Amino acid sequence: MRSAAVVGTGLIGTSIALALAARGVAVYLRDADLDSARTAASLGAGTTEEPPGPVDLAVIAVPPGLVAEVLAEAQAAGLARAYTDVASVKSGPRQDIAARGCRTSDYIGGHPMGGAERSGPLAARADLFEGRTWVLSPAPDTSTDALNAALELVALCGAVPVVMDPGAHDRAVALVSHTPQLLSSMVAARLADADETAVRLSGPGIRDTTRIAASDPELWVEILSANAGVVADVLDEVAEDLRATVGGLRALQSADAEKRAAGAQAVAEVMRRGNRGRSRIPGKHGAPPTRYEALTVLIGDQPGELARLFGDAGQAGVNIEDVAIEHSTGQQAGFVTLSVAPTAVPVLAAALRERGWRIRG
Ligand SMILES: NC(=O)c1ccc[n+]([C@@H]2O[C@H](COP(=O)([O-])OP(=O)(O)OC[C@H]3O[C@@H](n4cnc5c(N)ncnc54)[C@H](O)[C@@H]3O)[C@@H](O)[C@H]2O)c1
């Protein structure tokens, strides 16, 4: 790819432009808000000048509801030889594109699965999609040239392509992103008016399950409204699990032993399915799930403790795969849980004990 146009130089468009420019592609930047395009250019993402002729690929990085309109304009102006978009939902834009009668032979839908909490070019990063999945949704008549241009774009951004049809994509993001967001918010909402003493008991479980409940509501209403029906379908399934679990819990209070056993069975069943679902989530770099083992170490709340711990693990030749910190409420100490390969646990435990660390359990 020698040249590309990016239409919509917000977070996503500018991040793509930065990645392409860094790999020597001539990038032409456009935005309805000229300041945004100029800001992107000043960051080194490309130029706001007009391209001398059709570019190899135009990336349409505007809100999902505007993709078809911008594609139609760009195709009419002969901006590029191939077109793609980056909208987080795929069925709506595809329907709009069909309704407008846009050409689809030189178009392929796309969705890079990376992002950030902030929008606009100033939040952009050239490595935003490094190692991330990038969904491509070809239309039935998408040409091989358009597919190849999109595959090259994905490679230049350091991402991993996955081909999916728009419906499957929208169901997938409802499952792995949109529904978890709402459920996290609902769990956290129970705390909004809870007693201060209850909230103070919060431990790592509630912290983990509510991390994304801090997201921006307006941004999320926009995201959810583009996939509302599919998310509502998934939530209906969740509601069935909730009803079964509530029924199970009520039965657990029964005087009748058989009912209690049935209740326990119902609760255990939903948890077992949860175990199964969780075990299917891919590990680092999209690799199949790896079972790491955890080693929990007590650390003092003072500067340099974490660095010393990581340094000691490094000295022992152990690769830390993941790390979590649990702060003890009201104490000058915390627990650091290091996830490592199972075979590394005894090595790491021995090395850390030798260097004076206290290990839990
Ligand atoms: N934010 C994320 O985490 C994320 C992740 C993956 C995909 N996406 C998708 O990327 C797209 C852009 O999102 P963003 O986060 O970069 O938003 P953003 O608000 O940062 O940028 C959108 C840009 O599009 C411009 N724009 C709007 N209408 C236009 C038009 N008619 N012509 C030219 N420019 C126009 C805006 O001025 C703005 O600069 C959306 O479709 C979104 O669904 C977002």
Side-chain angles (χ1 to χ4, degrees), residues 32-176:
D33 170 9
L34 192 57
D35 275 350
S36 173
R38 286 201 186 113
T39 304
S42 71
L43 294 169
T47 171
T48 55
E49 282 167 23
E50 283 299 304
V55 294
D56 293 329
L57 178 70
V59 181
I60 297 168
V62 300
L66 297 174
V67 167
E69 181 186 323
V70 171
L71 175 66
E73 280 169 15
Q75 285 182 331
L79 176 63
R81 281 183 274 277
Y83 300 86
T84 188
D85 74 278
V86 295
S88 315
V89 287
K90 300 272 50 93
S91 299
R94 178 63 63 82
Q95 282 158 15
D96 297 347
I97 285 168
R100 275 186 179 266
C102 296
R103 253 190 345 262
T104 47
S105 56
D106 57 1
Y107 162 79
I108 179 165
H111 177 203
M113 304 288 298
E117 307 292 300
R118 294 190 305 138
S119 59
L122 288 172
R125 284 184 5 225
D127 65 354
L128 195 63
F129 306 113
E130 204 73 53
R132 296 305 185 104
T133 305
W134 191 311
V135 174
L136 293 175
S137 297
D141 66 338
T142 295
S143 68
T144 312
D145 286 351
L147 172 64
N148 285 340
L151 286 171
E152 195 177 348
L153 167 75
V154 174
L156 288 168
C157 290
V160 182
V162 174
V163 174
M164 276 177 121
D165 79 66
H169 166 275
D170 289 358
R171 164 92 186 165
V173 290
L175 280 176
V176 305

Side-chain angles (χ1 to χ4, degrees), residues 296-316:
T296 301
V297 185
L298 180 73
I299 62 161
D301 187 11
Q302 62 213 33
E305 281 287 272
L306 271 179
R308 194 161 69 79
L309 176 63
F310 292 164
D312 287 349
Q315 291 265 310

Side-chain angles (χ1 to χ4, degrees), residues 275-358:
N275 292 158
R276 243 182 23 242
R278 164 81 193 166
S279 72
R280 296 190 63 197
I281 298 175
K284 274 205 311 191
H285 316 302
T290 316
R291 296 222 170 273
Y292 296 125
E293 276 186 22
L295 193 83
T296 301
V297 185
L298 180 73
I299 62 161
D301 187 11
Q302 62 213 33
E305 281 287 272
L306 271 179
R308 194 161 69 79
L309 176 63
F310 292 164
D312 287 349
Q315 291 265 310
V318 172
N319 195 25
I320 298 172
E321 304 292 346
D322 205 351
V323 62
I325 305 177
E326 181 190 332
H327 305 274
S328 330
T329 314
Q331 285 179 31
Q332 296 300 309
F335 290 103
V336 175
T337 299
L338 304 174
S339 296
V340 296
T343 49
V345 173
V347 182
L348 182 60
L352 292 182
R353 282 204 181 93
E354 195 180 302
R355 290 173 168 84
W357 294 99
R358 279 173 55 198

